[in-house]
Amino acid sequence: GSASCRGLSPSPLNLIAEEETETPKREYLTPANGDAKDVPCCLRIVNGSFVAAQSMEISSSCGVGIELAQHSTLKSTAVAISASHGASLRTKDLSKASFNKLTIVHAEGAGVLASGSSWVFVSKGYVAKTKKQAAMISGNSKVIFKESVITHISNNCFEACAKACLELIQCQVSNVYGVGVLIAEESQASMYDSSMAEAASGAVKATGSANMTLSTCQFVSCGGQMRTATLRFKHNSSCSMAGSNVVRSKGSAARIDDSASFSCRTSSFSLSGACGVVLRGASKASLQVCKCMHNGDCGILVLGPCSLSLMQSEISFNSANGIATFNGAKALIKACHINDNVSSGLVSANGCNPTVSECVLFGNKDHGIMVGRSSLGTFMHNAISKCGGSGISIQAVADPIVSCNEISEVESCGIAADSLAKGTLQDNYIHGVRHHGIRLSQQSCLVVRSNHIKLCKGSGIVASTDSTGVVSGN
């Protein structure tokens, strides 16, 4: 009872700030007061022992509630640990623990502290009101929670580092003061059929080549400020996501940075305070059959030399552009619906080179597509209608290829080129627009060939203000 419990479960990671660029500093799990044998403990199982326990209660431990070490095994049912001054459960040295109906409440330390290649399985668990993590995992250890409730955690909820592994299966996590799941140093985490709500610093953050799997999960009202994303991946980390929904994020729903990769299918990002999905810093993302809707900024924002593949997805009702790519981004966008966004459906600027095909763009308040500031790109076989500006606007030395698109019923021109714009307009069908079919102005110079233009309220093709071009077969 007199031994110090100080330093029993120090956090291995600093909270990742939104603009942090360095890998979090590692802190090791060695107790500050020396070897683990000096740490007070209510139940210690060592030396390869096997213990079966049932209906056990541990309360007000001055140190660790239960500790397993040295290849020991614990199999238990209906265990409750409360008010531990250290970790409620500590495992190490290849030990194993299995719990059916584990309750951990009011812990001063972590709920579960696993290290040294240990293994912990918790079914129908309840973890609440811990001052540190619900589970802290390191050193090739693995922790699994199944059909469990984890709530009111005063720190990050789960942390995994040094090739650790975390699995959450049919779990409910809520009211977390820090990050829901924080993984680093080649660790892995998986969430299946689980939900997370009210995680103040985001639901998931991964860094340092960590890997995350999300399947049929729900994330609601996570993040505490506009710049805090619900899902954040950086520093070569990766995520595979399917059948999941991110709703009402305080900041962006998902942010991928610093060479991280993100693969997503049949998922949605909606009602966020900022963007649906943000890519930065040479990251990669593939989204298929996804929805980005009703977000407070762009549906998808790509900044820098990133790579985006977007297919069969719906980007609609966002408070800025549907999709915006800047600063050398590359994007493949195919068979998507991009509609009813407050600004343009798609914006590409600052040296980007997207390929956009077989998309339907309608009801956007500004242009259907805007290509500007030295961008290239290929825009083919798209249907653009009922936009508040032009169907396609080409600006500021942009040089795209625009062919085989149908543009109708837009409030300005079918295709408008100005500010030294270049490019090729070929085989487009333009009809029923309120102004000119094609307008060239402000020293723009384009090849305009074999376009079919009819029923425009202005001219079919008009060139002004020192514009030039090769016009034939229209």
Side-chain angles (χ1 to χ4, degrees):
S2 62
S4 171
C5 295
R6 180 168 48 96
L8 272 170
S9 53
S11 170
L13 303 173
N14 295 320
L15 185 65
I16 301 175
E18 279 298 301
E19 297 302 320
E20 182 185 34
T21 57
E22 299 298 325
T23 302
K25 182 180 178 181
R26 173 76 187 279
E27 296 179 16
Y28 292 90
L29 295 169
T30 303
N33 60 336
D35 190 80
K37 67 184 179 181
D38 298 325
V39 178
C41 180
C42 277
L43 173 62
R44 177 174 286 123
I45 305 169
V46 297
N47 296 328
S49 301
F50 176 87
V51 174
Q54 186 172 356
S55 301
M56 179 170 61
E57 294 185 10
I58 296 175
S59 179
S60 301
S61 168
C62 65
V64 175
I66 300 175
E67 180 177 271
L68 283 84
Q70 302 166 353
H71 299 262
S72 299
T73 301
L74 170 64
K75 186 174 182 180
S76 60
T77 300
V79 172
I81 308 172
S82 62
S84 294
H85 286 266
S88 297
L89 170 68
R90 178 170 179 164
T91 62
K92 61 179 185 176
D93 303 335
L94 298 169
S95 57
K96 296 181 179 181
S98 176
F99 295 88
N100 183 27
K101 298 181 180 179
L102 171 67
T103 299
I104 296 174
V105 294
H106 297 291
E108 294 289 326
V112 176
L113 184 60
S115 62
S117 301
S118 58
W119 181 88
V120 178
F121 176 80
V122 178
S123 176
K124 298 179 181 178
Y126 178 76
V127 182
K129 298 182 180 180
T130 65
K131 289 190 176 180
K132 292 190 177 179
Q133 303 84 356
M136 171 59 232
I137 316 154
S138 68
N140 291 295
S141 297
K142 184 172 185 177
V143 172
I144 303 170
F145 279 86
K146 182 178 181 181
E147 298 177 8
S148 298
V149 175
I150 302 97
T151 186
H152 291 92
I153 307 300
S154 298
N155 204 299
N156 300 324
C157 190
F158 298 98
E159 292 187 10
C161 65
K163 299 183 180 180
C165 182
L166 167 70
E167 287 189 18
L168 303 178
I169 305 169
Q170 298 176 1
C171 291
Q172 299 176 27
V173 181
S174 63
N175 298 102
V176 178
Y177 184 81
V179 181
V181 176
L182 180 59
I183 56 175
E185 299 174 353
E186 302 181 50
S187 297
Q188 298 182 23
S190 303
M191 292 180 65
Y192 304 100
D193 304 310
S194 297
S195 66
M196 187 177 295
E198 301 290 346
S201 295
V204 174
K205 289 187 180 180
T207 185
S209 301
N211 178 265
M212 187 80 202
T213 300
L214 304 171
S215 178
T216 56
C217 294
Q218 310 292 322
F219 301 95
V220 182
S221 299
C222 295
Q225 55 185 348
M226 290 294 290
R227 296 174 65 189
T228 304
T230 293
L231 309 178
R232 177 84 184 272
F233 306 98
K234 59 190 298 184
H235 293 139
N236 298 302
S237 61
S238 62
C239 176
S240 177
M241 179 174 177
S244 299
N245 300 306
V246 184
V247 184
R248 299 189 185 280
S249 301
K250 302 297 192 299
S252 296
R255 179 168 165 175
I256 304 96
D257 288 287
D258 303 331
S259 301
S261 62
F262 182 62
S263 176
C264 183
R265 289 178 54 87
T266 59
S267 298
S268 68
F269 308 87
S270 60
L271 298 169
S272 301
C275 300
V277 177
V278 179
L279 276 69
R280 298 180 61 176
S283 57
K284 299 179 180 179
S286 173
L287 286 80
Q288 189 168 0
V289 199
C290 292
K291 294 182 179 181
C292 292
M293 303 172 64
H294 299 285
N295 295 294
D297 203 304
C298 297
I300 298 176
L301 175 62
V302 186
L303 299 169
C306 305
S307 176
L308 169 67
S309 175
L310 179 67
M311 297 186 181
Q312 298 176 295
S313 297
E314 182 178 351
I315 316 297
S316 59
F317 298 102
N318 297 290
S319 297
N321 302 301
I323 303 170
T325 64
F326 298 98
N327 303 332
K330 295 182 179 180
L332 173 63
I333 302 171
K334 184 176 181 180
C336 295
H337 278 70
I338 308 170
N339 60 276
D340 296 293
N341 297 288
V342 170
S343 192
S344 296
L346 169 67
V347 173
S348 177
N350 294 349
C352 296
N353 188 12
T355 298
V356 182
S357 63
E358 301 176 29
C359 293
V360 177
L361 301 96
F362 67 90
N364 298 293
K365 301 303 184 288
D366 203 349
H367 309 299
I369 295 173
M370 191 193 80
V371 189
R373 282 176 271 179
S374 304
S375 288
L376 304 173
T378 301
F379 305 88
M380 301 176 62
H381 301 288
N382 301 294
I384 305 172
S385 64
K386 298 181 180 179
C387 295
S390 297
I392 299 177
S393 176
I394 306 170
Q395 305 174 9
V397 205
D399 189 3
I401 297 172
V402 179
S403 66
C404 303
N405 300 286
E406 180 179 357
I407 303 172
S408 63
E409 300 181 56
V410 296
E411 295 296 317
S412 187
C413 301
I415 300 174
D418 54 33
S419 302
L420 301 171
K422 301 178 182 179
T424 300
L425 314 179
Q426 183 170 332
D427 296 317
N428 297 289
Y429 178 35
I430 302 171
H431 60 96
V433 302
R434 284 188 173 270
H435 291 288
H436 311 301
I438 296 175
R439 187 195 71 202
L440 311 179
S441 63
Q442 298 177 355
Q443 299 183 348
S444 56
C445 179
L446 289 88
V447 175
V448 183
R449 182 185 300 122
S450 303
N451 297 285
H452 184 193
I453 304 170
K454 69 176 186 179
L455 300 176
C456 300
K457 292 190 176 181
S459 301
I461 300 175
V462 61
S464 61
T465 320
D466 300 324
S467 295
T468 59
V470 177
V471 181
S472 64
N474 298 286

